[in-house]
Amino acid sequence: RYGAMVNHAMAVRPEAMPMSVKEIKQFISPLATEAEAYIFLRFCQAQGLNPFVNDAYLIKYDPKAKASIVIGIQALLKRAESNPKYSGYQAGVVVLRDGEPVELQGSLVYRDSDTLIGGWAEVRRKDWDIPLKVTVSLKEYNKRQAQWNERPATMIEKVALGQGLRRVFPQEVGRLFERQELDTEVGDAEEMPKIIVETPQETPPAPQDAKPDPAAVVKTWGDAAKVIMREKSRVTKLELI
């Protein structure tokens, strides 16, 4: 719901994204510095990315390390689809089988004897006779941490797809990777920390038969005036006896 509200606000005034540096540090990347959060905020504003619908993430696992901007693969696909010449894609992984490289569709490496060595993608345009094909090396991109240790095939496939989309649609996709202040990578919602917004609990109303505050029980109008001054106009109940 909030993500939809942010999308609407950004569509009307992308320069006035309803988010602050404080909110980025609180809800998206607690370990990020104020400078990193500010760069991320301005990047999302300039590129029309909405962190609350998984368009982009600010990732920082170590306070001493530099933060990275991760752009969701779905955000890249949405940008590509906005071009009427977009005509789809195929992507997968490359494994070493019996000493020879073999391309597999998708990220499933189903033979124990296969060794994952890279990823590939083909991106098609309606005005191109031949699709652009990209292959990337696992050794070059593997960071050996987090999801790269747990799901290397999924990660390297998305790297290949991201590379292909950037080259085929430089105006729509390629410009997302032009910033130099922070590293920019390709990721997806299922690999990133979830944004959790805690809603404050409402204070339950006082029981109907609750006894009045003794400090608010007065005998004369003069006492009532003293109570009002002392409590700064916060009198819960006045009883004249």
Side-chain angles (χ1 to χ4, degrees):
R1 180 180 177 182
Y2 185 69
M5 294 170 59
V6 175
N7 269 343
H8 175 73
M10 290 174 65
V12 177
R13 293 182 61 202
E15 76 283 356
M17 185 176 182
M19 183 182 295
S20 66
V21 169
K22 180 180 178 181
E23 289 172 327
I24 290 173
K25 286 175 60 64
Q26 182 177 0
F27 299 124
I28 296 177
S29 186
L31 297 180
T33 66
E34 287 195 7
E36 290 169 337
Y38 178 81
I39 291 172
F40 178 71
L41 171 63
R42 291 306 185 192
F43 174 76
C44 289
Q45 288 176 329
Q47 301 293 353
L49 297 173
N50 181 354
F52 285 92
V53 293
N54 304 320
D55 281 350
Y57 314 84
L58 182 62
I59 303 301
K60 189 170 186 176
Y61 296 107
D62 185 346
K64 298 180 180 179
K66 187 178 180 181
S68 297
I69 294 176
V70 176
I71 302 175
I73 191 66
Q74 293 302 320
L76 303 189
L77 288 170
K78 285 189 292 185
R79 291 293 180 91
E81 290 170 356
S82 68
N83 189 315
K85 296 178 181 179
Y86 173 73
S87 185
Y89 75 92
Q90 288 182 309
V93 296
V94 183
V95 299
L96 196 63
R97 178 180 297 173
D98 298 328
E100 296 292 333
V102 177
E103 294 181 354
L104 303 178
Q105 183 82 28
S107 57
L108 175 62
V109 180
Y110 52 88
R111 290 191 183 182
D112 294 337
S113 58
D114 288 346
T115 301
L116 180 67
I117 60 173
W120 67 273
E122 286 187 357
V123 181
R124 298 184 295 274
R125 287 178 60 121
K126 295 177 181 178
D127 57 340
W128 288 9
D129 294 332
I130 301 175
L132 176 78
K133 186 169 184 178
V134 174
T135 56
V136 295
S137 168
L138 176 66
K139 184 182 297 185
E140 181 178 354
Y141 288 93
N142 188 2
K143 294 187 173 182
R144 301 187 184 281
Q145 64 180 16
Q147 292 296 325
W148 282 100
N149 287 332
E150 298 178 13
R151 307 166 64 197
T154 298
M155 298 296 289
I156 198 62
E157 179 193 12
K158 289 173 182 175
V159 169
L161 178 56
Q163 291 278 3
L165 292 171
R166 289 171 62 179
R167 296 180 188 179
V168 177
F169 300 100
Q171 293 298 321
E172 294 84 355
V173 179
R175 64 190 181 90
L176 294 174
F177 298 84
E178 293 176 353
R179 295 200 67 92
Q180 300 298 322
E181 292 92 338
L182 298 176
D183 294 335
T184 307
E185 308 169 12
V186 177
D188 211 346
E190 59 197 15
E191 294 133 18
M192 299 299 132
K194 303 300 181 182
I195 299 174
I196 300 175
V197 180
E198 295 184 359
T199 304
Q201 298 294 325
E202 296 183 359
T203 303
Q208 295 295 328
D209 58 348
K211 294 183 179 180
D213 185 348
V217 180
V218 296
K219 295 184 179 181
T220 67
W221 287 110
D223 292 336
K226 293 179 181 179
V227 171
I228 294 174
M229 293 296 293
R230 184 174 66 248
E231 296 297 321
K232 297 181 179 180
S233 301
R234 189 177 62 85
V235 180
T236 58
K237 186 176 180 181
L238 297 178
E239 288 188 2
L240 296 180
I241 300 177

